[in-house]
Amino acid sequence: AQTVTQSQPEMSVQEAETVTLSCTYDTSENNYYLFWYKQPPSRQMILVIRQEAYKQQNATENRFSVNFQKAAKSFSLKISDSQLGDTAMYFCAFMKQGGANSKLTFGKGITLSVRP
Amino acid sequence: DTGVSQNPRHKITKRGQNVTFRCDPISEHNRLYWYRQTLGQGPEFLTYFQNEAQLEKSRLLSDRFSAERPKGSFSTLEIQRTEQGDSAMYLCASSLAGVSNQPQHFGDGTRLSIL
């Protein structure tokens, strides 16, 4: 079974600054995907960024980038130039590659507050 | 693409009553998932369909829970004889099988409160 750990329950960052959210995971699988999802207060969960485990290059999406360390089973999210709209809960998630079921295994999440 | 739609948004009911939630996935998506999210926690997998076939159920899904996806379109999740511990947000997600790295798209969820 896979586990995803997000040990920081809350973080706060000043607008326009950079913040890094941590995530570690445990799996015996070699091929998998990792995701960061954002859940704004009372709003829909949306995908922020995804990483294929077989790719060494870290994924980037505009202001969002990841630091994927496969050997260390670490997958952190860096948000640059933080904006007020980035205030949300952020979930790290794992998905096994292949097989019949592509269910997501989530961490507990981290609440990020962006201060004006 | 109208997104994943869930109804109702909120449901308040007394303990012991039955409740049913509905999820309409993105039209071309053939995979549909149900998750449960309690306050301060990440979503936990409940069950999943590919087309109309229910392919996996979590141990979290007790025999009071049943899910269906007739004709491989919308899905319903029914909880019988509700208990206080069933209070949670129930999330539905859909994706397209056969396309690698296809992300799951989530609905707004149904928040269930048991009195």
Side-chain angles (χ1 to χ4, degrees), chain A residues 29-43:
Chain A
E29 302 290 333
N30 193 46
N31 298 315
Y32 50 88
Y33 302 108
L34 295 164
F35 304 86
W36 279 96
Y37 277 88
K38 169 185 177 181
Q39 189 177 41
S42 301
R43 291 181 61 190

Side-chain angles (χ1 to χ4, degrees), chain A residues 7-113:
Chain A
S7 55
Q8 309 153 304
E10 294 181 12
M11 287 195 75
S12 180
V13 64
Q14 193 75 33
E15 193 176 8
E17 297 293 307
T18 294
V19 64
T20 299
L21 311 182
S22 302
C23 172
T24 59
Y25 59 95
D26 191 23
T27 184
S28 58
E29 302 290 333
N30 193 46
N31 298 315
Y32 50 88
Y33 302 108
L34 295 164
F35 304 86
W36 279 96
Y37 277 88
K38 169 185 177 181
Q39 189 177 41
S42 301
R43 291 181 61 190
Q44 200 174 68
M45 188 172 307
I46 58 174
L47 179 67
V48 175
I49 197 165
R50 56 191 160 187
Q51 173 80 42
E52 294 91 338
Y54 65 86
K55 288 187 177 178
Q56 291 188 335
Q57 186 173 7
N58 289 322
T60 62
E61 285 288 342
N62 301 314
R63 298 183 295 108
F64 299 89
S65 62
V66 299
N67 183 3
F68 173 50
Q69 302 289 327
K70 190 172 184 179
K73 295 180 181 172
S74 170
F75 183 61
S76 61
L77 173 69
K78 185 171 83 171
I79 306 174
S80 304
D81 185 27
S82 297
Q83 300 176 0
L84 296 178
D86 295 334
T87 292
M89 277 204 79
Y90 287 80
F91 293 97
C92 178
F94 172 102
M95 184 177 82
K96 197 166 59 172
Q97 183 179 348
N101 189 350
S102 53
K103 67 182 179 185
L104 290 165
T105 300
F106 286 89
K108 287 188 174 183
I110 178 171
T111 300
L112 176 67
S113 300

Side-chain angles (χ1 to χ4, degrees), chain B residues 84-100:
Chain B
Q84 295 249 320
D86 297 332
S87 294
M89 176 75 84
Y90 290 84
L91 295 170
C92 177
S94 69
S95 69
L96 187 60
V99 180
S100 64

Side-chain angles (χ1 to χ4, degrees), chain B residues 7-8 13 18 33 41 52 57 69 95 103:
Chain B
N7 288 289
T13 192
N18 298 344
Y33 305 79
Q41 301 294 317
E52 67 275 10
K57 294 196 293 186
R69 193 183 182 198
S95 69

